[in-house]
């Protein structure tokens, strides 16, 4: 176990962030996982990191705040917090996010407080988001097994066994065996993803038609100058990093107003400490005109109404149904894991990197390029074993992209 944790920490710092000599590293981490954060910090310092700055969090205190704090605190963000993010991002620090949030931590909390908190943060951190859009900060997200999370994933196991089982799933998904081969394995995996990415970029599809037995029947027009991305990203200064660990997706940007039809989620969506089940969207000219869910419909409706762009899509991602995470037949209740088990879309903000020349573009230029903007970005899963996706090229050819849930090429 210690060997694997060590290897995982090394993977996150050396491949996820690819920390450079003289660079600061900001680590966001739940207090319960301080030992793992220390492992990451040691490895970063060994690599010449200038300083490790900790950004601690605690699920219990977050919940208490939503339940008991003064009502006014959800409408503003203190200046020092804004400076924390903007100052460190301006100096090109790396951001490592270690997450183990209990997906149901905010169950029963006043949804209005959550919505207002998102809105005020979205407003206050505008400059920070603009800096991040310039892609000058390497960043990465990795998950850590906690008892609450593990019990949700393995409800039949004793708490200790559940945590162990969840760690094993995490190690499998991030290709950590404890024998020092993880970094090599990741380089090979990234290469494979990037091969498929190239095929998709060469086709330069005009649109994709999604269909499956759940009832999804959706035409998704892609942004005109869209670029498919996968298996890592490069900062403006040429630092190669891996934003998500694990990552199995190949993703791009849809045209903001180019989606029409009906889409059903194939897995529950965890949002704001709540689980949304049976999600269904009806979409007309890009806008979600009807949103329903069997469970958590109120949370869903709030999520798509934080601003104008929240009711439009910003990401189209392809993941084979036979990915390692999908094959583990486990529902993780974690976007980081579940999104890599399944084809998904996101409502909200598009990534500027998913359109040609997007990094240097202003907000207006990105909009002109067809990309959606919002303070939010929420992934939801749509992949199934019978999903078919047919691509339409600009010269009118129809090309199978997904057959029976997996890539046709
Ligand atoms: Zn994605
Ligand atoms: Zn996403």
């Amino acid at each position: 176990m210690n060997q694997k944790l060590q290897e995982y920490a090394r993977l996150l710092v050396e491949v996820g962030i690819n920390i450079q000599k003289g660079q600061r590293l900001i680590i966001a981490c739940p207090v319960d996982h301080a030992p793992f954060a220390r492992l990451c910090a040691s490895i970063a310092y060994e690599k010449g990191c200038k300083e490790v700055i900790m950004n601690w969090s605690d699920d219990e205190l977050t919940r208490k705040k939503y339940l008991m704090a003064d009502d006014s605190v959800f409408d503003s963000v203190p200046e020092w917090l804004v400076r924390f993010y903007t100052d460190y991002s301006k100096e090109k620090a790396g951001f490592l996010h270690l997450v183990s949030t209990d997906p149901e931590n905010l169950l029963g909390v006043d949804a209005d407080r959550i919505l207002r908190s998102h809105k005020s943060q979205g407003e206050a951190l505008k400059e920070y988001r603009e800096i991040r859009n310039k892609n000058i900060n390497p960043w990465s997200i990795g998950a850590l097994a906690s008892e609450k999370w593990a019990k949700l994933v393995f409800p039949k196991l004793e708490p200790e066994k559940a945590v162990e089982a969840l760690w094993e799933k995490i190690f499998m998904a991030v290709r950590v065996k404890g024998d020092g081969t993880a970094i090599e394995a990741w380089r090979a995996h990234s290469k494979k993803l990037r091969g498929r990415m190239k095929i998709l970029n060469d086709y330069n599809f005009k649109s994709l038609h999604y269909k499956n037995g759940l009832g999804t029947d959706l035409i998704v027009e892609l942004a005109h100058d869209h670029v498919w991305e996968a298996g890592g990203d490069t900062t403006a200064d040429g630092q190669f990093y891996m934003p998500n660990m694990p990552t199995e997706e190949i993703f791009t940007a849809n045209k903001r107003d180019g989606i029409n039809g009906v889409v059903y989620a194939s897995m529950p969506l965890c949002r704001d400490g709540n689980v949304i089940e049976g999600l269904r969207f009806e979409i007309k000219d890009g806008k979600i005109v009807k949103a329903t869910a069997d469970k958590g419909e109120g949370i869903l409706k709030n999520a798509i109404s934080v601003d104008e762009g929240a009711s439009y899509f910003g990401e189209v991602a392809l993941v084979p149904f036979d990915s390692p995470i999908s094959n583990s037949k486990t529902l993780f209740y974690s976007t980081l894991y579940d999104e890599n088990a399944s084809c998904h879309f996101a409502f909200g903000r598009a990534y500027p990197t998913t359109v040609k020349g997007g990094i240097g573009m202003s907000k207006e230029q990105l909009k002109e390029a067809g990309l959606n903007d919002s303070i939010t970005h929420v992934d939801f899963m749509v992949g199934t074993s019978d999903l078919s996706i047919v691509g339409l090229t600009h010269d009118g050819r129809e090309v199978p992209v997904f057959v029976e849930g997996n890539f046709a090429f």
Side-chain angles (χ1 to χ4, degrees):
M1 180 75 179
N2 274 347
Q3 205 68 28
K4 286 182 180 172
L5 284 173
Q6 180 81 31
E7 190 169 347
Y8 184 31
R10 187 167 293 283
L11 185 68
L12 287 168
V13 174
E14 290 188 20
V15 178
I17 300 290
N18 185 15
I19 192 82
Q20 301 293 303
K21 239 184 162 60
Q23 186 170 40
R24 268 206 180 86
L25 177 63
I26 318 303
I27 304 181
C29 182
V31 283
D32 295 344
H33 288 281
F36 189 80
R38 289 182 202 122
L39 272 182
C40 293
S42 303
I43 292 161
Y45 280 129
E46 273 167 39
K47 285 274 154 191
C49 171
K50 181 184 195 174
E51 185 185 13
V52 173
I53 306 284
M54 291 308 304
N55 186 8
W56 299 107
S57 62
D58 182 66
D59 266 5
E60 270 185 55
L61 287 173
T62 303
R63 182 173 175 80
K64 268 197 180 59
K65 175 174 155 172
Y66 275 110
L67 288 173
M68 302 170 82
D70 187 86
D71 200 50
S72 64
V73 305
F74 303 100
D75 294 314
S76 64
V77 175
E79 183 59 25
W80 65 264
L81 194 64
V82 177
R83 289 290 300 274
F84 177 89
Y85 287 108
T86 48
D87 289 358
Y88 287 130
S89 53
K90 267 184 201 160
E91 66 155 59
K92 303 180 181 177
F95 286 82
L96 177 61
H97 306 274
L98 302 174
V99 295
S100 76
T101 305
D102 169 7
E104 295 191 314
N105 188 43
L106 297 185
L107 201 65
V109 161
D110 181 359
D112 183 55
R113 286 189 162 198
I114 300 174
L115 177 65
R116 279 157 49 210
S117 172
H118 278 306
K119 276 189 176 166
S120 54
Q121 279 187 34
E123 257 327 289
L125 296 177
K126 226 178 205 160
E127 189 191 354
Y128 165 66
R129 267 201 324 281
E130 275 161 25
I131 301 166
R132 293 299 293 269
N133 274 352
K134 291 182 188 149
N135 199 18
I136 57 171
N137 305 97
W139 57 276
S140 193
I141 309 177
L144 309 173
S146 65
E147 196 178 302
K148 284 209 169 124
W149 181 23
K151 274 165 71 180
L152 199 64
V153 180
F154 300 105
K156 288 186 193 128
L157 297 182
E158 291 297 310
E160 208 173 303
K161 291 274 173 228
V163 172
E164 253 173 59
L166 183 55
W167 268 123
E168 280 313 313
K169 293 277 179 191
I170 290 174
F171 291 142
M172 183 215 60
V174 297
R175 297 167 167 81
V176 163
K177 294 187 190 144
D179 59 358
T181 57
I183 290 181
E184 239 355 272
W186 267 86
R187 296 212 166 106
H189 173 53
S190 167
K191 202 172 157 193
K192 192 170 152 203
L193 280 173
R194 293 176 82 80
R196 267 200 183 123
M197 171 187 93
K198 188 178 177 307
I199 295 174
L200 286 163
N201 279 326
D202 289 347
Y203 273 121
N204 185 30
F205 290 117
K206 182 178 192 293
S207 63
L208 301 176
H209 187 178
Y210 287 64
K211 258 185 152 171
N212 69 11
L214 276 181
T216 292
D217 188 349
L218 193 72
I219 307 260
V220 179
E221 213 177 313
L222 301 179
H224 190 266
D225 282 328
H226 71 273
V227 182
W228 290 93
E229 279 207 287
D233 204 345
T234 308
T235 64
D237 290 340
Q239 186 172 345
F240 190 71
Y241 66 100
M242 203 67 71
N244 287 343
M245 294 216 132
T247 183
E248 304 288 338
E249 62 171 344
I250 306 176
F251 61 101
T252 192
N254 56 283
K255 184 165 175 264
R256 186 180 193 266
D257 55 4
I259 301 186
N260 283 285
V262 177
V263 63
Y264 285 78
S266 55
M267 282 198 258
L269 161 65
C270 299
R271 184 67 191 152
D272 299 331
N274 286 269
V275 178
I276 298 164
E277 282 172 24
L279 175 159
R280 177 186 184 274
F281 287 143
E282 246 176 75
I283 300 155
K284 201 173 177 309
D285 296 330
K287 190 173 171 63
I288 299 167
V289 290
K290 196 173 172 197
T292 54
D294 300 334
K295 187 182 158 196
E297 192 173 292
I299 296 287
L300 177 66
K301 288 194 163 142
N302 276 345
I304 60 165
S305 56
V306 291
D307 61 10
E308 162 81 11
S311 60
Y312 287 82
F313 286 11
E315 180 194 352
V316 177
L318 303 178
V319 181
F321 193 75
D322 283 334
S323 81
I325 301 172
S326 169
N327 279 337
S328 80
K329 300 285 173 236
T330 306
L331 178 63
F332 286 93
Y333 297 94
S334 150
T335 303
L336 178 62
Y337 275 71
D338 293 328
E339 77 158 343
N340 280 302
S342 170
C343 282
H344 56 271
F345 296 109
F347 52 88
R349 180 173 66 251
Y351 295 109
T353 48
T354 50
V355 69
K356 272 178 208 146
I359 287 300
M361 285 185 187
S362 67
K363 243 178 140 82
E364 288 67 35
Q365 287 171 315
L366 287 169
K367 202 173 171 187
E368 198 119 303
L371 266 60
N372 187 34
D373 186 34
S374 168
I375 58 172
T376 195
H377 175 104
V378 180
D379 294 294
F380 66 97
M381 289 21 113
V382 300
T384 51
S385 61
D386 69 342
L387 178 66
S388 111
I389 304 176
V390 176
L392 182 69
T393 62
H394 282 277
D395 55 7
R397 277 182 303 141
E398 287 192 349
V399 181
V401 177
F402 262 58
V403 177
E404 302 278 310
N406 287 303
F407 272 105
F409 42 76

